[in-house]
């Protein structure tokens, strides 16, 4: 009976902690990208800028607008497009930041987005503008982050809406969904972004990668120190040990939070008096006992220390 109560209490705590995974946790890197996207959209609306002023395409090479390679992820033509892109980033890119840290995530964000925009602009230069068109938004870099994450995961199968498929096919499933639902999504650019994420996961951009030690030094500087101080937002450290402490905090239950089962010593054979009494369900000898004997385990040996539900055994 008491064992079932203990299991119920533990399951309730796991259910309580699992509810947090239904709603994605807002991290500092994703918050920074979202704020920059809203800021660019506000500037575009206030100054009534030309449509597609920061989009990438053949004009990057024809007009020498290389700054668009770094600006196009934060640029959105309409407000619904902005909201859908932010939702895709929030739900699909959080695992990458939790795996590498906030500093390295922002670096990878710029690296993946600029590389994808560069390859797409070169492809658009070879084609007619009317066929490919310009692209912008967070969808390409989000798909690149998903592709990079699947390259480093140990899971072989993925589940989406009850359907099981290989993990490597996950970016392509999201490619179909985002291209169909999010406006102004250009399919060739999204495909290139997935390939770029795959190439980075294979180590093709290892010379451009940021080390963990370098990221640890950068996160102590002023811009990232301000991100640490934002309440309600998780800043993921670059160090592996600190990252585990932040994302997987140790649970220290308070005394009395778990039901405790009391153990009483077994009776010892007494040649003078064999009368036994029951103490909380355990037989106990009425005569003097030389040494308390713990209850025998099911495997035939006596444990050195009794294990209780509220101690370190849980």
């Amino acid at each position: 009976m008491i064992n079932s109560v203990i299991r119920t209490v533990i399951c309730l705590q796991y259910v309580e902690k699992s509810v947090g995974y239904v709603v994605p946790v807002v991290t500092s890197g994703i918050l920074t990208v979202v704020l920059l996207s809203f800021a660019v959209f506000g500037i575009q609306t206030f100054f009534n800028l030309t449509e597609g002023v920061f989009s990438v395409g053949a004009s990057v090479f024809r007009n020498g607008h290389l700054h668009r390679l770094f600006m196009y992820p934060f640029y959105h033509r309409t407000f619904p497009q902005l909201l859908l892109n932010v939702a895709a980033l929030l739900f699909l890119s959080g695992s990458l930041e939790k795996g590498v840290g906030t500093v390295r995530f922002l670096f990878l964000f710029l690296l993946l987005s600029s590389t994808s925009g560069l390859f797409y602009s070169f492809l658009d230069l070879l084609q007619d503008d009317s066929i490919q068109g310009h692209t912008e938004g967070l969808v390409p870099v989000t798909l690149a982050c998903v592709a990079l994450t699947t390259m480093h995961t140990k899971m072989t199968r993925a589940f989406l809406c009850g359907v099981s498929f290989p993990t490597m096919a996950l970016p392509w499933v999201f490619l179909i969904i985002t291209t169909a639902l999010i406006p102004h999504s250009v399919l060739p650019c999204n495909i290139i972004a997935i390939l770029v994420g795959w190439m980075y996961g294979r180590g093709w951009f290892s010379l451009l990668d940021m080390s963990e030690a370098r990221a640890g030094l950068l996160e102590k500087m002023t811009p990232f120190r301000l991100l640490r101080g934002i309440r309600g937002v998780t800043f993921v450290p670059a160090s592996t040990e600190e990252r585990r402490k932040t994302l997987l905090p140790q649970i220290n239950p308070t005394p009395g939070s778990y039901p405790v089962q009391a153990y009483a010593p077994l009776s010892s054979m007494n040649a003078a008096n064999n009368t036994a009494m029951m103490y909380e369900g355990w037989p106990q000898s009425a005569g003097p006992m030389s040494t308390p004997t713990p209850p025998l385990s099911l495997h035939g040996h006596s444990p050195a220390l009794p294990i209780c539900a509220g101690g370190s055994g849980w």
Side-chain angles (χ1 to χ4, degrees):
M1 178 64 181
I2 194 170
N3 291 333
S4 62
V5 173
I6 295 174
R7 288 193 296 267
T8 303
V9 172
I10 295 176
C11 290
L12 288 176
Q13 287 199 350
Y14 274 104
V15 170
E16 181 181 358
K17 295 181 72 64
S18 299
V19 173
Y21 293 101
V22 177
V23 179
V25 179
V26 180
T27 53
S28 300
I30 292 180
L31 179 62
T32 303
V33 174
V34 171
L35 292 179
L36 288 176
S37 300
F38 275 95
V40 173
F41 184 80
I43 294 174
Q44 168 201 352
T45 305
F46 182 78
F47 291 100
N48 195 17
L49 299 179
T50 305
E51 184 177 356
V53 63
F54 292 126
S55 300
V56 293
S59 60
V60 171
F61 295 103
R62 290 177 179 176
N63 302 328
H65 295 164
L66 298 180
H67 62 280
R68 295 188 179 187
L69 298 176
F70 303 97
M71 291 297 299
Y72 84 92
F74 310 106
Y75 173 73
H76 301 83
R77 301 183 189 181
T78 61
F79 190 70
Q81 180 191 10
L82 172 61
L83 294 181
L84 291 175
N85 277 260
V86 169
L89 177 73
L90 186 62
F91 281 92
L92 301 181
S93 300
S95 58
L96 179 61
E97 182 174 357
K98 295 176 183 178
V100 299
T102 298
V103 177
R104 296 180 67 186
F105 169 77
L106 294 176
F107 173 78
L108 288 175
F109 181 89
L110 294 177
L111 178 62
L112 295 176
S113 61
S114 59
T115 306
S116 302
L118 180 65
F119 287 164
Y120 172 73
S121 298
F122 181 75
L123 177 64
D124 192 29
L125 182 65
L126 302 179
Q127 304 292 331
D128 188 6
D129 289 346
S130 60
I131 297 178
Q132 303 295 340
H134 288 67
T135 185
E136 68 282 325
L138 297 169
V139 170
V141 66
T142 300
L143 295 176
C145 292
V146 174
L148 176 58
T149 304
T150 55
M151 291 297 297
H152 293 278
T153 184
K154 296 181 180 180
M155 298 178 59
T156 57
R157 306 291 297 180
F159 295 89
L160 182 64
C161 299
V163 181
S164 175
F165 45 84
T167 305
M168 297 302 298
L170 189 62
W172 305 103
V173 174
F174 287 126
L175 168 69
I176 299 175
I177 296 175
T178 54
T179 305
L181 298 181
I182 299 179
H184 306 291
S185 294
V186 180
L187 181 61
C189 184
N190 295 339
I191 295 176
I192 291 176
I194 294 178
L195 297 178
V196 169
W198 178 80
M199 289 187 293
Y200 187 90
R202 298 287 294 179
W204 291 16
F205 300 100
S206 58
L207 296 178
L208 302 177
D209 194 9
M210 178 183 294
S211 63
E212 183 176 308
R214 179 62 177 173
L217 294 176
L218 290 177
E219 70 181 12
K220 298 178 181 179
M221 297 183 178
T222 303
F224 301 105
R225 290 175 59 185
L226 296 177
L227 293 178
R228 282 180 175 270
I230 301 177
R231 295 184 179 181
V233 181
T234 304
F235 183 89
V236 185
S239 174
T240 304
E241 297 180 359
E242 296 181 1
R243 189 162 59 246
R244 290 176 179 175
K245 294 179 181 179
T246 302
L247 301 178
L248 301 174
Q250 184 178 3
I251 302 176
N252 296 320
T254 58
S257 59
Y258 293 95
V260 180
Q261 182 176 0
Y263 291 92
L266 290 174
S267 62
S268 60
M269 299 303 296
N270 192 343
N273 186 6
N274 293 331
T275 304
M277 296 184 300
M278 299 299 293
Y279 175 74
E280 294 188 4
W282 296 93
Q284 184 182 18
S285 175
M289 298 179 62
S290 58
T291 304
T293 305
L296 295 176
S297 64
L298 297 177
H299 300 283
H301 64 276
S302 300
L305 293 174
I307 301 177
C308 61
S312 61
W314 295 92

